[in-house]
Amino acid sequence: MEVIFKVIRQQQNSLPVVQTYPLEVDPGNTILDCLNRIKWEQDGTLAFRKNCRNTICGSCAMRINGRSALACKENVGSEIARLQQIQSLTNTENPNLEITVAPLGNMPVIKDLVVDMSSFWDNLEAVAPYVSTAARQIPEREFLQTPQERSLLDQTGNCIMCGACYSECNAREVNPDFVGPHALAKAYRMVADSRDSNTENRLENYNEGTKGVWGCTRCLYCDSVCPMEVAPLEQITKIKQEILSHKQTADTRSLRHRKVLVELVKEGGWIDERQFGLQVVGNYFRDLRGLLSLAPLGLRMIAKGKFPLSFEPSAGTKQVRSLIESVQKIKGVGNGE
């Protein structure tokens, strides 16, 4: 079948343009197969990254039909079926078979589908992604772990650093200080590692402002696009739980974050992000410095079209509220605890 590939092409510091390439393909051809053929047969100037072609190295991550994925993993047949399903749900119809390919988001474009990943690697380094044993006496033999201890590292150890989660992260788009879901998933691997001797310092670092775990907006995009099922949001939540278990003070921003989150979910099902910022960072209008710190973030959200102008409770809010209250009653705890 003939598929039209729409490739978003861009030179550094210039506006993107759309270039189309018709191609005869089989449904089982991967997107990377098709890009290779376009480069070999039609346009040798097209730039993109690739390496292993086996869904292992993560080099060929890009946006395919609007979401970040590995070009070596996605195939033409599944993409066409996905687009047709979207068209049926939105009552739109396009007789042409088209696949749009674009560079990853949240990173500047070097050329075409190749992005500058410097911020991605810098933010990974910011969480000190290596086991520290400086506080321990060097043993006669290697540091050993039980199978149970090692199993805690399996999920996060699957990360191939492809950048898909970083590309889709809404928090990263509006908050340049946020380190990103990839870094925090790796951060939990360090927290969970029984060989590490720096847990307390790590938790203090990950607890700092909106650079760490409290900068996450819980949009779930990172989990939905991860090709290795690392579930970065799940790992961020685990770090939050570790932080809260180490905190003894009655009213810190971390504790307000958890309590306000639960209250807003009870009220609206969805989270009203406007109220969330005011109550957590602004401490219910009592923290003037916190309120002022929200202004730059709010302006960036407006500029990016990410600021919610209105709020509608989700369907099933009453059931959600009833479920939360039942759990709290069983556990005998207060809101957010």
Side-chain angles (χ1 to χ4, degrees):
M1 59 182 176
E2 183 178 85
V3 174
I4 297 174
F5 282 82
K6 291 185 173 182
V7 181
I8 310 301
R9 303 196 64 182
Q10 186 176 357
Q11 297 287 340
Q12 196 169 17
N13 301 318
S14 66
L15 295 175
V17 296
V18 180
Q19 191 160 349
T20 60
Y21 301 95
L23 198 67
E24 284 290 334
V25 299
D26 293 327
N29 291 149
T30 66
I31 304 302
L32 183 57
D33 290 334
C34 297
L35 290 174
N36 279 331
R37 285 188 53 201
I38 291 171
K39 185 175 180 68
W40 297 334
E41 300 170 8
Q42 299 187 37
D43 189 347
T45 67
L46 180 62
F48 54 91
R49 286 191 175 114
K50 63 176 182 176
N51 193 10
C52 72
R53 301 178 67 184
N54 288 294
T55 325
I56 295 173
C57 73
S59 297
C60 63
M62 56 190 70
R63 274 181 168 160
I64 302 170
N65 289 331
R67 70 26 172 125
S68 299
L70 298 180
C72 68
K73 182 175 184 290
E74 308 303 324
N75 63 48
V76 172
S78 62
E79 283 303 310
I80 296 300
R82 176 173 169 267
L83 286 178
Q84 291 173 340
Q85 183 180 25
I86 293 174
Q87 290 174 6
S88 66
L89 292 174
T90 57
N91 294 320
T92 58
E93 188 173 346
N94 185 354
N96 297 320
L97 300 180
E98 297 178 347
I99 293 177
T100 301
V101 185
L104 294 174
N106 287 330
M107 288 169 277
V109 175
I110 298 176
K111 182 183 178 184
D112 298 339
L113 305 176
V114 180
V115 296
D116 183 351
M117 299 185 70
S118 297
S119 65
F120 176 89
W121 298 116
D122 289 345
N123 283 315
L124 177 65
E125 180 64 24
V127 302
Y130 35 80
V131 175
S132 170
T133 56
R136 300 183 180 184
Q137 183 179 357
I138 302 300
E140 294 182 2
R141 297 183 60 187
E142 66 271 20
F143 291 111
L144 300 178
Q145 289 181 301
T146 66
Q148 292 75 20
E149 289 172 334
R150 180 60 182 83
S151 67
L152 296 175
L153 313 180
D154 289 347
Q155 188 175 19
T156 51
N158 288 334
C159 177
I160 57 176
M161 295 294 159
C162 65
C165 64
Y166 193 80
S167 167
E168 297 297 329
C169 179
N170 278 327
R172 177 67 199 171
E173 185 171 348
V174 298
N175 179 11
D177 293 331
F178 182 57
V179 295
H182 73 300
L184 292 172
K186 183 66 72 174
Y188 179 70
R189 187 211 180 284
M190 300 300 110
V191 170
D193 199 316
S194 61
R195 300 165 296 175
D196 189 75
S197 60
N198 200 30
T199 301
E200 292 295 332
N201 290 334
R202 290 186 187 281
L203 293 178
E204 286 297 324
N205 184 30
Y206 308 152
N207 186 38
E208 185 178 350
T210 57
K211 293 192 299 184
V213 293
W214 307 110
C216 172
T217 59
R218 304 159 304 282
C219 66
L220 281 171
Y221 283 144
C222 58
D223 283 12
S224 67
V225 300
C226 178
M228 303 303 291
E229 299 183 355
V230 174
L233 179 58
E234 181 180 328
Q235 315 314 321
I236 292 171
T237 301
K238 291 175 183 177
I239 296 177
K240 290 178 180 179
Q241 292 170 343
E242 290 289 336
I243 290 171
L244 292 173
S245 68
H246 283 71
K247 289 292 182 183
Q248 301 298 324
T249 53
D251 187 24
T252 64
R253 182 177 293 184
S254 304
L255 292 178
R256 284 201 305 275
H257 187 285
R258 180 60 59 89
K259 292 177 180 179
V260 170
L261 174 65
V262 173
E263 276 303 302
L264 290 179
V265 170
K266 286 170 64 176
E267 290 178 14
W270 305 118
I271 298 171
D272 187 343
E273 294 289 352
R274 302 167 303 171
Q275 293 296 324
F276 189 80
L278 292 174
Q279 294 178 26
V280 175
V281 181
N283 195 12
Y284 300 88
F285 296 95
R286 291 193 289 267
D287 186 345
L288 181 59
R289 182 175 297 180
L291 288 172
L292 292 175
S293 73
L294 289 172
L297 177 60
L299 292 174
R300 287 195 297 270
M301 291 178 69
I302 293 172
K304 296 285 187 178
K306 299 290 185 178
F307 190 87
L309 299 178
S310 60
F311 177 78
E312 292 289 336
S314 69
T317 298
K318 290 183 179 179
Q319 291 89 335
V320 171
R321 183 186 306 120
S322 177
L323 178 61
I324 292 174
E325 290 175 347
S326 297
V327 172
Q328 289 176 335
K329 185 176 180 180
I330 292 172
K331 292 189 174 182
V333 297
N335 295 335
E337 296 179 5

